[in-house]
Amino acid sequence: MADLLLEIFCEEIPARMQAKAEADLGKALADALKAAGLAFEALETASGPRRLSVNVTGLPVKSADVAEERKGPKVGSPDQAIAGFLKGAGLTSIDQAEVRTDPKKGDFYVAMLDKPGRKTADVVAEAVPDIIRSFHWPKSMRWGTGELRWVRPLQRILCVLDGKVVPFEVDGLASGNQTEGHRVHGRGSFTVTGWADYETQLEGKGHVRLTRAARRALIEADATAICEAAGLELVEDLGLLDEVTGLAEWPVVVLGQMDPAFLELPPEVIKLSMRTHQKYFAVRDPNTEELAPNFVVVANIDASDGGKQIAAGNARVLSARLEDGRFFWEKDKATPLEEMGKKLSTIAFKEELGSLGDKVERVAALARELAPAVGADADLAERAARLAKADLVSEMVGEFPELQGVMGRYYALAAGETASVADAIRDHYKPQGPSDAVPTDPVSIAVALADKLDTLVGFWAIDEKPTGSKDPFALRRAALGVVRIVLENKVRLNLIAQLSTAFPVIQIDIIRQELRRRVQESGKLAAGMSPEMTEALDDQFLQDAGKKALSKERHEEYLKGAKDLLSFFADRLKQVLRDQGQRHDLIDAVFALGEDDLVLITRRVEALGAFLDTEDGATLLAGYKRAANILKAEEKKGALPEDLSVDAALIKNGPKEEQALYAALTNVRGAIAAPLKAEDFAGAMGELAKLRSPVDAFFEGVMVNDEDAKVRANRLALLTEVRATLHQVADFSLIEG
């Protein structure tokens, strides 16, 4: 058995690409070996700023010999078919093939092919150049005069099988058995014979920690220890930890200091400046939980002075960055959010839907309308909505887009706005992912819902819905955000009504935007028409358009759009409830009732799921299916009469099972009204359970298709009543099983 070591050595690989490239190289080499019939015991990979490495152990020295039978054409086939068979099988004469007989198809040719195994070295020498040439990087480059593309210029290819070089060439670069270490501490080169030798020399003389896991663990442990020694605490940042793991071959953790005066800046600004520009970890005081005037930097060099100069140099760079932040902070605070907000009318939201200023007006109106439903003050909700996006034009958000909303909150507090308004400005973008918390303050809830609903209605109105995996405007995330906000805050909202009223408002803005475009294209102002005259025409046009947009004729169109959008919410609700262990068919069964209150739907689904998990529920569902199938079969023969109703007199003369079902059904129909009205769905299910035994007995003891037409019609009417009663809780026909 033999071991293979492959290392591809190049200039610095971007940190974000290393982990995937490591996995891709390992998979590509494993697939190539398996395709050649070369099994192996184990494969391990490593990656770093300048190298991708693979170690394969337990390889055979050659692949196994293979005997193959290749079936050919029938005896007597045309010469062209025979020639094609010979060429494909590598034969020179048909006499080299055997003739076999099939009882049904007759005689045909078979070529007996013996394929000798290939040396592992030959397989590797062929596979690795192909892997390198076809390797996919998110971004790649060419260099010199060659045609090869790689993430950065290749410098070495180390390929050793059982201690010997596997010879091949890629774009003029020959494989070898040498690698390089750290640029400063142990450049090398080093001649290696296998993985153990490779790892020992690099981590010893070469000052290179090979694996990502080793570097990550070292950085995390040293950063935690150096902070604890100073009485501080590291601010956890797993994303940054992953990134710096790919930046240093020999990571050395250094604790630095900054001017405490910078702590007057919002902590988010400090942390983002450290993270984005400098790749520093923030540090806090464990007693106060506030940021400390320190930072942690991961260097790629083991300095003789213990990192003092590294810390000082990085402190100077950080100070320059934070000075910029302080300048933006002071400048932004001098401009009221309302003034910033006026600039939103110059920023496009979506061509057909107008500017961000137009969107703000719509969201403010919708937030005021939603406020009573979520227990918010309507004036505060509208105020927060008008200010929510103003910080998008601030200097700070221009530098750090990630701080949208966050900076708006700080500017609002500095200007004396209430905490509810300020928090709503920050929280109206939430939730931005599955791990993000939803807003909980009523004003924040109103603005967050209004913002997301306006976006969804707008894109539905212009028919730009997500298709397949494409969702460029994150509409699925917006809908999922609405679902989570509503459920987690138990907001009772009739979505159809809200959406139906939002559609005409959007339609008016679509018309307004189209008018603006036409005015610009017509060149009326250039022809001498004054702005006042244009505005007068605009106002008249919009009045007429507004009346049309709000007309009864358009109402059905808006209602259709609202129902279509509701089905989009249903899909997101399924996603949430599936994560909680609920079944998708139960959600469909409840949605079929036309319910649009997501909280109510969820409670119905939970109660229905619990009911169907009981013996009574499962048996009643089976009885329902039987009744529904009988009715469906009858409906195929022709529609059942609309006036089909149960005749109690006929039932009195019928079997006792029929009488028992009618009595139970009469009682249950009366009994479920109160719990349904009180939204006690578990109680309603308990009443439905009383139908289980009568329904079961009915089908055991009663023939529905009686010879007497009146009796048969009466029993069909009874089954129709059973179906209708169950449908007051959910559409049982959509439940599987």
Side-chain angles (χ1 to χ4, degrees):
M1 305 300 281
D3 296 341
L4 172 67
L5 168 62
L6 172 66
E7 180 200 68
I8 302 176
F9 185 88
C10 63
E11 293 294 334
E12 272 70 11
I13 305 169
R16 68 183 184 280
M17 300 182 189
Q18 292 171 21
K20 186 175 187 305
E22 174 186 338
D24 288 349
L25 180 60
K27 182 179 185 303
L29 185 57
D31 290 347
L33 294 172
K34 290 174 183 176
L38 292 168
F40 51 85
E41 292 177 357
L43 182 148
E44 60 181 316
T45 59
S47 63
R50 297 194 293 160
R51 69 195 79 227
L52 302 176
S53 310
V54 185
N55 178 40
V56 187
T57 58
L59 278 166
V61 294
K62 64 184 287 291
S63 61
D65 298 337
V66 178
E68 177 188 350
E69 291 187 4
R70 182 171 297 183
K71 186 176 179 181
K74 290 182 179 180
V75 174
S77 294
D79 291 344
Q80 188 175 359
I82 299 293
F85 168 62
L86 294 176
K87 183 177 180 181
L91 305 180
T92 57
S93 168
I94 196 64
D95 295 334
Q96 294 174 287
E98 293 184 6
V99 176
R100 302 274 179 89
T101 300
D102 185 305
K104 294 182 179 180
K105 297 183 179 180
D107 296 340
F108 59 92
Y109 294 110
V110 174
M112 305 300 296
L113 305 179
D114 293 321
K115 293 184 177 181
R118 297 181 63 198
K119 292 181 179 179
T120 301
D122 293 340
V123 172
V124 172
E126 181 181 290
V128 173
D130 287 344
I131 290 171
I132 291 174
R133 291 189 184 99
S134 61
F135 200 83
H136 174 72
W137 292 96
K139 288 186 179 181
S140 58
M141 62 180 291
R142 291 186 302 177
W143 60 96
T145 58
E147 293 299 316
L148 179 68
R149 300 191 69 90
W150 197 250
V151 64
R152 295 291 185 270
L154 285 180
Q155 295 183 338
R156 293 180 184 272
I157 302 174
L158 184 155
C159 192
V160 176
L161 179 67
D162 227 16
K164 297 179 181 178
V165 173
V166 178
F168 57 83
E169 190 177 278
V170 180
D171 206 39
L173 184 63
S175 59
N177 60 356
Q178 292 187 324
T179 186
E180 293 185 21
H182 192 280
R183 289 186 187 275
V184 176
H185 294 309
R187 192 177 188 97
S189 59
F190 304 100
T191 301
V192 299
T193 58
W195 181 266
D197 182 31
Y198 173 73
E199 188 174 29
T200 299
Q201 291 201 64
L202 280 181
E203 298 208 354
K205 295 182 290 183
H207 281 71
V208 173
R209 297 194 184 276
L210 271 175
T211 66
R212 291 181 59 81
R215 295 194 304 276
R216 193 181 193 278
L218 175 73
I219 293 168
E220 189 170 22
D222 286 1
T224 301
I226 202 171
C227 287
E228 288 179 352
L232 301 170
E233 186 176 66
L234 186 73
V235 175
E236 185 181 77
D237 189 332
L238 298 180
L240 180 58
L241 180 58
D242 281 338
E243 186 171 6
V244 296
T245 295
L247 294 176
E249 290 188 308
W250 191 255
V252 177
V253 176
V254 177
L255 181 66
Q257 291 184 314
M258 67 180 189
D259 185 348
F262 287 123
L263 295 179
E264 297 174 0
L265 288 170
E268 293 88 349
V269 173
I270 297 172
K271 287 190 286 188
L272 205 54
S273 291
M274 289 182 177
R275 187 188 203 280
T276 304
H277 293 136
Q278 305 306 130
K279 314 304 178 192
Y280 301 160
F281 289 90
V283 176
R284 65 182 164 223
D285 183 331
N287 298 315
T288 64
E289 294 294 314
E290 295 181 353
L291 289 184
N294 299 87
F295 60 89
V296 169
V297 58
V298 178
N300 191 31
I301 189 170
D302 197 354
S304 58
D305 65 353
K308 292 180 181 178
Q309 289 298 317
I310 293 174
N314 281 281
R316 287 193 295 271
V317 176
L318 179 60
S319 292
R321 291 290 187 186
L322 293 179
E323 282 291 356
D324 290 342
R326 181 146 54 190
F327 172 78
F328 297 146
W329 170 242
E330 297 298 336
K331 184 176 180 182
D332 288 339
K333 284 196 299 180
T335 306
L337 279 175
E338 284 178 303
E339 286 299 313
M340 291 186 190
K342 293 177 181 178
K343 296 181 181 179
L344 294 175
S345 61
T346 65
I347 302 174
F349 168 61
K350 185 75 172 71
E351 182 180 358
E352 300 92 328
L353 301 175
S355 66
L356 273 175
D358 295 325
K359 178 176 176 60
V360 165
E361 290 297 322
R362 296 193 301 266
V363 171
L366 187 52
R368 170 173 278 279
E369 185 179 331
L370 288 169
V374 301
D377 181 281
D379 291 337
L380 292 180
E382 181 179 351
R383 175 68 177 171
R386 291 193 180 281
L387 300 178
K389 298 191 182 296
D391 68 346
L392 292 176
V393 301
S394 68
E395 297 283 349
M396 190 72 82
V397 174
E399 180 71 12
F400 297 114
E402 303 94 326
L403 295 180
Q404 62 181 11
V406 173
M407 295 313 303
R409 175 180 178 274
Y410 282 112
Y411 298 144
L413 289 174
E417 297 289 344
T418 66
S420 289
V421 169
D423 288 346
I425 293 171
R426 177 195 60 196
D427 294 341
H428 83 282
Y429 292 106
K430 294 182 176 184
Q432 298 192 62
S435 60
D436 194 15
V438 303
T440 55
D441 180 81
V443 175
S444 298
I445 293 170
V447 180
L449 286 175
D451 184 42
K452 293 169 178 59
L453 290 175
D454 174 79
T455 297
L456 288 160
V457 171
F459 281 92
W460 247 249
I462 61 175
D463 199 26
E464 288 200 24
K465 308 168 188 176
T467 56
S469 61
K470 296 181 179 179
D471 187 10
F473 302 104
L475 301 181
R476 290 188 181 95
R477 186 175 71 186
L480 188 58
V482 170
V483 170
R484 284 190 57 203
I485 291 170
V486 166
L487 294 186
E488 293 181 34
N489 289 290
K490 294 181 171 54
V491 175
R492 306 304 299 273
L493 202 62
N494 297 117
L495 277 174
I496 288 289
Q498 291 294 341
L499 297 174
S500 296
T501 56
F503 267 99
V505 176
I506 286 283
Q507 191 61 43
I508 291 172
D509 264 8
I510 292 173
I511 295 168
R512 180 184 288 112
Q513 189 63 16
E514 175 63 16
L515 175 62
R516 289 172 181 167
R517 186 186 64 79
R518 290 181 180 180
V519 168
Q520 289 174 354
E521 289 181 354
S522 67
K524 289 180 179 177
L525 292 180
M529 183 176 285
S530 69
E532 292 75 18
M533 293 173 66
T534 305
E535 288 176 9
L537 286 175
D538 291 356
D539 289 343
Q540 184 60 50
F541 181 88
L542 287 172
Q543 286 178 21
D544 296 341
K547 290 177 183 177
K548 186 177 180 181
L550 296 171
S551 64
K552 291 182 179 179
E553 292 76 14
R554 299 298 296 271
H555 178 71
E556 287 300 319
E557 179 186 330
Y558 300 144
L559 187 58
K560 182 179 178 182
K563 289 180 177 178
D564 184 50
L565 187 49
L566 183 65
S567 68
F568 188 68
F569 282 111
D571 290 337
R572 310 285 81 73
L573 179 62
K574 287 180 186 178
Q575 180 180 336
V576 171
L577 295 183
R578 272 200 302 266
D579 291 342
Q580 297 175 3
Q582 297 293 346
R583 288 163 40 183
H584 68 88
D585 57 327
L586 304 189
I587 304 169
D588 289 335
V590 173
F591 255 105
L593 302 180
E595 183 63 68
D596 63 345
D597 182 333
L598 301 185
V599 173
L600 205 60
I601 289 169
T602 302
R603 289 175 55 188
R604 279 183 185 264
V605 169
E606 290 170 350
L608 183 59
F611 176 59
L612 293 176
D613 284 340
T614 66
E615 185 180 349
D616 283 344
T619 305
L620 183 58
L621 175 61
Y624 168 88
K625 295 285 186 182
R626 192 169 177 181
N629 288 336
I630 292 173
L631 292 172
K632 189 182 296 182
E634 292 300 317
E635 287 167 348
K636 284 183 179 178
K637 299 175 185 177
L640 294 175
E642 292 184 7
D643 60 349
L644 191 66
S645 60
V646 177
D647 185 342
L650 281 177
I651 289 179
K652 285 182 180 179
N653 299 322
K656 61 180 181 180
E657 294 90 350
E658 185 177 15
Q659 296 173 21
L661 176 58
Y662 180 65
L665 185 62
T666 302
N667 291 334
V668 168
R669 290 182 65 180
I672 64 172
L676 284 177
K677 185 175 182 181
E679 299 178 5
D680 176 14
F681 300 115
M685 300 294 175
E687 294 297 333
L688 287 182
K690 296 176 182 177
L691 290 175
R692 174 243 174 131
S693 295
V695 168
D696 220 19
F698 177 83
F699 283 117
E700 289 296 321
V702 177
M703 174 67 70
V704 175
N705 288 320
D706 194 87
E707 293 180 356
D708 186 324
K710 289 184 177 180
V711 172
R712 172 178 166 275
N714 204 48
R715 288 172 182 170
L716 289 175
L718 184 60
L719 294 184
T720 303
E721 293 289 347
V722 170
R723 181 173 65 179
T725 300
L726 290 173
H727 279 194
Q728 291 185 58
V729 173
D731 187 342
F732 277 64
S733 69
L734 298 176
I735 300 174
E736 298 173 0

